[in-house]
Amino acid sequence: MAVNRIAISQVGDFIVKPGWSLGPRANPNYELVFFPYPTATRYENDRENRILCEPCFVVTRPFERHKYIFDSDRSTRHLFFHFLIGPEELPFKFLEASGASIFPSETNPLLKVMINHVMRLAHSVNEQKLCILQGERLLIALLGELDLLDRQEKNNVKLKGEYVAACEYKFPSELRKALQYMDQNLERQISIPDIAAHVGWSHEHLARMCTKHLGNSPTRELLIRRMERACLLLTTEFFTVQEVATAVGFGDALYFSRCFSRIKGMNATAYRERYTDPRMHHISFNEISQDIPYPINTYVNI
């Protein structure tokens, strides 16, 4: 297979705010999107309408109309790649119009390593051309693995059935209700036992479910949601910092400022000055991992 059959045109690693939607749209290029965490994000095209309840890859073909409705309860991280394929015959069958769109990534742990390394290579500034070439070669290998998964799924209908069944129970309705209760009471001094009682769980069970499905303790999740609401108010309203603090449940503006700076990496005034651009309203700068070796929430054109 000739390496120059595939050329990466644009990449990005983004975290978007809860409830944002993208599309319907149709891209002229192939698009590969990786969701590294379980999410209630919905993907729709003419053939599928599914919740991305497990870490997965989503493949969209050129000019295929599709839409993403991102998780309404929490920010969603996703890595995307736009790429071109030469006029030769398609190297992989699954890329044809009738191929599958969604591939669970946990069936092959190597896939996550590969996609992260392609992203790193695409962001390289030293020996950039060589790194891009190596990234395209690795992308070809990754697409080959997805092609294999597609053929295995066609030969094993049970695999798809198990994936759909997993979507039906992965995210507990009580936990979703707890998150909604948090969001509806951010201005109040609610406690974790209050939240647990509201959904009929014990404090301990709520803590276990939050850690399992969200990766945070209930206390941390509530704080993050207060900060996300604060970010929204800072960039869409003319509130003072004191008024924002009060609106998200902080009686002490100084304590609010310390928490905000610790989570967002800058103070509230600096955040407002930097992110009031309306084109950035869908972006979340919440909990960006410090071990990501490239700028996040940034488009890279190649």
Side-chain angles (χ1 to χ4, degrees):
M1 180 190 307
V3 173
N4 61 7
R5 286 188 178 186
I6 292 180
I8 300 173
S9 59
Q10 188 181 63
V11 306
D13 185 341
F14 278 74
I15 302 175
V16 299
K17 290 181 178 179
W20 187 61
S21 62
L22 177 63
R25 64 173 191 164
N27 292 324
N29 302 329
Y30 289 90
E31 181 181 70
L32 176 66
V33 183
F34 174 51
F35 290 84
Y37 307 111
T39 173
T41 296
R42 180 178 295 277
Y43 175 78
E44 301 175 358
N45 62 21
D46 292 339
R47 295 174 291 113
E48 297 192 70
N49 185 334
R50 290 168 64 181
I51 299 292
L52 310 179
C53 60
E54 293 184 342
C56 65
F57 291 89
V58 180
V59 177
T60 304
R61 285 82 181 169
F63 303 106
E64 181 177 32
R65 287 186 62 79
H66 63 285
K67 181 178 182 179
Y68 287 97
I69 303 173
F70 288 92
D71 195 322
S72 61
D73 290 323
R74 63 195 313 260
S75 300
T76 303
R77 182 185 175 199
H78 62 289
L79 293 70
F80 77 86
F81 300 80
H82 293 168
F83 59 94
L84 308 168
I85 296 181
E88 303 89 344
E89 181 182 352
L90 285 176
F92 304 115
K93 285 290 185 181
F94 87 99
L95 291 176
E96 296 177 352
S98 60
S101 297
I102 301 171
F103 301 86
S105 63
E106 298 298 280
T107 55
N108 185 348
L110 183 60
L111 297 176
K112 181 177 180 179
V113 177
M114 295 171 74
I115 200 72
N116 283 327
H117 193 51
V118 175
M119 184 64 72
R120 291 187 181 94
L121 290 168
H123 281 83
S124 297
V125 293
N126 297 322
E127 299 188 38
Q128 189 176 35
K129 289 184 179 179
L130 180 61
C131 288
I132 294 301
L133 179 60
Q134 184 61 27
E136 289 170 349
R137 288 171 173 164
L138 190 55
L139 179 59
I140 289 173
L142 173 60
L143 294 173
E145 292 295 324
L146 294 180
D147 190 55
L148 178 61
L149 283 179
D150 184 50
R151 284 185 276 122
Q152 289 175 337
E153 184 168 344
K154 287 177 179 177
N155 293 328
N156 184 5
V157 179
K158 184 180 177 182
L159 178 64
K160 184 173 182 178
E162 288 174 348
Y163 178 76
V164 172
C167 295
E168 295 175 352
Y169 73 85
K170 272 289 182 178
F171 202 92
S173 60
E174 293 89 349
L175 183 54
R176 191 173 298 280
K177 186 177 178 181
L179 297 177
Q180 291 171 346
Y181 183 75
M182 289 183 189
D183 289 337
Q184 292 166 359
N185 293 277
L186 292 178
E187 76 285 356
R188 297 177 51 224
Q189 296 297 321
I190 56 174
S191 67
I192 304 307
D194 289 338
I195 299 168
H198 179 74
V199 300
W201 279 353
S202 68
H203 181 175
E204 294 76 13
H205 190 62
L206 176 62
R208 285 195 297 270
M209 291 297 99
C210 276
T211 300
K212 177 180 179 180
H213 293 280
L214 303 176
N216 296 316
S217 68
T219 301
R220 175 73 175 173
E221 187 67 27
L222 179 59
L223 177 60
I224 288 170
R225 287 171 180 274
R226 292 189 194 279
M227 294 300 104
E228 283 297 301
R229 177 69 59 82
C231 289
L232 180 64
L233 295 175
L234 286 166
T235 55
T236 60
E237 304 290 347
F238 294 101
F239 293 173
T240 65
V241 173
Q242 173 70 66
E243 289 171 332
V244 171
T246 301
V248 297
F250 286 82
D252 184 343
L254 184 59
Y255 179 57
F256 163 78
S257 296
R258 288 200 300 268
C259 291
F260 190 94
S261 296
R262 185 174 73 249
I263 290 178
K264 296 298 179 181
M266 65 184 77
N267 64 40
T269 301
Y271 186 94
R272 165 174 276 162
E273 292 173 351
R274 185 170 181 180
Y275 298 119
T276 50
D277 185 342
R279 294 173 300 175
M280 300 297 283
H281 280 179
H282 69 289
I283 298 302
S284 173
F285 294 85
N286 166 44
E287 287 196 301
I288 294 176
S289 174
Q290 298 301 310
D291 62 359
I292 299 176
Y294 49 77
I296 205 164
N297 293 335
T298 302
Y299 292 100
V300 176
N301 296 307
I302 297 171

